[in-house]
Amino acid sequence: MKSTTPVYTSLSKRSYVRVVLSASRRGLFTIAQLLKRKIPHVKTMTTPEKTTANNSGVTKSVSGGSRDQFWNPRFWDGVTISAWHKMLASARYRVAPTRLPMFCVISALTLLNSSLAALQRLFYGRRIAQTKLVAPPIFIIGHWRSGTTLLHEYMIRDERFAFSNTYECFAPTHFLVSASMIMPWLKHLMPKKRPMDNMAAGLERPQEDEFAICVLGVNSPYRQVAFPNSGLIDEQYLTLRDVDDSARKRWLDALEYILKALTVAHNKRIVLKSPPHTARVRAILSRFPDAKFIHISRDPYTLFPSTLNLWKKLAATHGLQPPKDSPERTEKVLHDFELMYDAFFQDRDIIPEGALCEISYDQLVAEPVKTLEKIYRELELDGFQANREAFEAFAATQKNYRKNKFELSEEMKRQIRRRWSAYFEHYVQE
């Protein structure tokens, strides 16, 4: 896939932005250099994590992923002062003493982020507001760990599509003015793999726009990643069904802002992926009636332990509280799945004909190019043949990918089969 670097700032405006960014650029460069001197070979550790029986019903697991390092960027590093206050207030400021260093670093960064956000509003606020999308957005949906990231990676081999990369999701309020200056230095602090598996990570890699929504200061269940021990936070925003009209409008406004800002940066059709959008089809269609959806399903007995592992690893890396193993996390995974697919199965019938394609993870892994051809055909997207070689080339890079491995107790399997029965009926051939 060819690299196409978006022009985030015009030449006339970039000179002004340089003044504000120069200090942060020199600081990031200094940090990177100090780390390299202290640790001659800064490499991401990927030692598999092994666990045995616990109260989650997972009797054995072997999972890959990066090992956390203190210099790794956090999801919340791009928040402004007001967004940071809202996030902390959602958990009543319950920051664990061991996470105070992280809290202090992020709090200090809010000053820089707020200044850069002001610059983006100054230079791009009116342009973003007036921007029209190039074409209706495409949303990749499906439960966490169902293969949405892999599918996203395949779809963006088509260079006519743009996507939200990690930096854009971490800094949604100012990436248009800061990306070209900060990304080249910040990338030295990024892990090479995601914390929960062996998928590649990086500032330029596709990322969930749900993190951008959260960083914007809008309510999101992803605040629970920061506060894993504070109970349910913004759970009603998973489906948007039990929030009032004004709250739903604020959330949709945030999503539209992200899409328009990405259009300003790339001027292409946008392909987004966020598992929570699976439960928001009705709300999304109310704002983007011509949107298209690709839903991916996977074996529920794999989804459950893999999702438990996901939340544990993300909270351990990005949380302001060290995550505790508890029955509540198991119940949250089971319950969130029920909420998500109760909403999706109700909304699926209102998706216009030709706007939904459903595939499975097994199909994508076994026959990726054929599966992509199906997506292009059913969604009436042109350009498949022109991109076939790009799809085949990326497929070749995935042949040696090592998946996480999990084993479940028979009791947990029975519970999953009973509580997720509708999903089994739709997507599992038994």
Side-chain angles (χ1 to χ4, degrees):
M1 177 180 178
K2 296 179 181 178
S3 175
T4 57
T5 304
V7 178
Y8 291 99
T9 58
S10 65
L11 293 176
S12 60
K13 294 175 180 176
R14 186 172 294 172
S15 60
Y16 295 99
V17 178
R18 284 182 186 275
V19 175
V20 178
L21 295 179
S22 60
S24 59
R25 179 179 179 179
R26 288 196 298 271
L28 288 169
F29 177 74
T30 301
I31 291 172
Q33 293 302 310
L34 287 173
L35 288 172
K36 288 181 178 179
R37 291 177 186 176
K38 185 176 180 180
I39 307 172
H41 299 285
V42 179
K43 294 183 178 180
T44 301
M45 303 299 293
T46 58
T47 304
E49 177 182 328
K50 299 183 180 181
T51 63
T52 53
N54 54 53
N55 57 21
S56 69
V58 181
T59 59
K60 183 180 180 182
S61 71
V62 179
S63 59
S66 62
R67 181 179 297 174
D68 185 37
Q69 305 290 2
F70 71 89
W71 60 79
N72 292 155
R74 311 298 167 181
F75 287 145
W76 332 116
D77 284 351
V79 294
T80 61
I81 295 172
S82 62
W84 189 224
H85 169 71
K86 292 175 183 177
M87 179 177 290
L88 293 169
S90 71
R92 300 181 181 180
Y93 292 84
R94 292 173 180 167
V95 178
T98 56
R99 300 301 171 95
L100 284 175
M102 184 191 300
F103 165 81
C104 292
V105 170
I106 297 173
S107 297
L109 288 173
T110 62
L111 301 174
L112 173 63
N113 293 322
S114 297
S115 299
L116 292 172
L119 280 177
Q120 179 156 302
R121 286 195 301 271
L122 176 64
F123 292 136
Y124 288 97
R126 180 178 298 178
R127 182 176 172 186
I128 292 172
Q130 296 176 348
T131 291
K132 303 295 183 183
L133 302 186
V134 173
I138 300 172
F139 293 93
I140 295 173
I141 57 176
H143 193 267
W144 296 277
R145 312 301 299 149
S146 60
T148 55
T149 297
L150 179 62
L151 177 56
H152 206 188
E153 289 278 6
Y154 271 110
M155 290 295 293
I156 65 174
R157 300 306 116 181
D158 187 334
E159 294 185 0
R160 298 171 305 160
F161 297 144
F163 57 94
S164 55
N165 67 33
T166 299
Y167 184 80
E168 290 162 344
C169 288
F170 285 13
T173 60
H174 61 73
F175 69 82
L176 288 170
V177 297
S178 65
S180 61
M181 299 292 290
I182 292 181
M183 280 184 67
W185 307 106
L186 192 61
K187 68 180 182 181
H188 296 294
L189 308 181
M190 287 289 293
K192 300 300 182 185
K193 295 182 180 181
R194 303 193 304 181
M196 63 285 194
D197 58 26
N198 293 310
M199 288 291 289
L203 292 178
E204 75 288 351
R205 311 297 296 203
Q207 185 57 264
E208 294 182 32
D209 56 286
E210 186 74 15
F211 286 111
I213 288 173
C214 192
V215 171
L216 283 171
V218 177
N219 299 77
S220 167
Y222 278 19
R223 287 177 174 175
Q224 291 181 247
V225 174
F227 300 101
N229 307 326
S230 293
L232 298 179
I233 300 175
D234 291 340
E235 186 77 358
Q236 67 273 29
Y237 283 83
L238 176 61
T239 67
L240 296 176
R241 294 187 171 211
D242 297 322
V243 302
D244 59 40
D245 291 342
S246 61
R248 189 180 301 107
K249 181 180 182 301
R250 283 194 299 272
W251 189 93
L252 288 168
D253 287 345
L255 178 61
E256 185 171 2
Y257 174 87
I258 293 166
L259 285 164
K260 287 185 174 183
L262 290 171
T263 301
V264 169
H266 305 283
N267 195 33
K268 297 179 180 180
R269 187 175 197 170
I270 310 296
V271 179
L272 296 181
K273 81 99 181 178
S274 277
H277 294 343
T278 310
R280 300 166 176 158
V281 169
R282 184 179 300 271
I284 290 172
L285 285 173
S286 71
R287 182 65 63 94
F288 306 101
D290 296 323
K292 293 182 181 291
F293 300 88
I294 311 170
H295 177 265
I296 183 168
S297 59
R298 193 176 185 181
D299 172 26
Y301 297 134
T302 299
L303 290 180
F304 173 78
S306 191
T307 304
L308 275 177
N309 179 64
L310 164 71
W311 296 133
K312 179 181 178 181
K313 293 288 187 70
L314 288 184
T317 303
H318 301 278
L320 292 164
Q321 301 166 342
K324 299 177 182 178
D325 285 323
S326 66
E328 286 76 14
R329 182 182 294 121
T330 300
E331 176 57 27
K332 172 179 166 53
V333 172
L334 290 168
H335 183 59
D336 282 355
F337 191 103
E338 292 171 319
L339 287 177
M340 177 178 288
Y341 278 94
D342 281 349
F344 179 67
F345 290 144
Q346 290 179 39
D347 294 348
R348 189 170 60 168
D349 290 340
I350 70 171
I351 300 176
E353 184 178 354
L356 171 65
C357 177
E358 299 201 73
I359 66 169
S360 73
Y361 176 79
D362 290 342
Q363 290 172 340
L364 183 62
V365 171
E367 298 180 305
V369 178
K370 183 178 180 180
T371 303
L372 288 162
E373 185 176 19
K374 173 187 175 181
I375 292 171
Y376 274 67
R377 181 179 66 254
E378 293 190 5
L379 296 184
E380 299 178 349
L381 304 173
D382 59 3
F384 170 76
Q385 291 299 334
N387 289 281
R388 177 185 283 273
E389 290 186 6
F391 296 147
E392 292 172 344
F394 182 74
T397 69
Q398 301 301 301
K399 290 182 178 179
N400 297 321
Y401 178 77
R402 291 183 300 168
K403 303 176 186 177
N404 295 342
K405 297 180 180 180
F406 304 97
E407 293 180 12
L408 293 173
S409 67
E410 291 304 315
E411 172 57 31
M412 181 52 66
K413 286 183 179 180
R414 286 192 291 270
Q415 188 173 172
I416 292 170
R417 181 65 180 83
R418 174 175 57 83
R419 295 185 62 173
W420 296 358
S421 58
Y423 189 91
F424 276 86
E425 292 170 6
H426 279 88
Y427 300 119
V428 180
Q429 295 181 349
E430 296 180 289

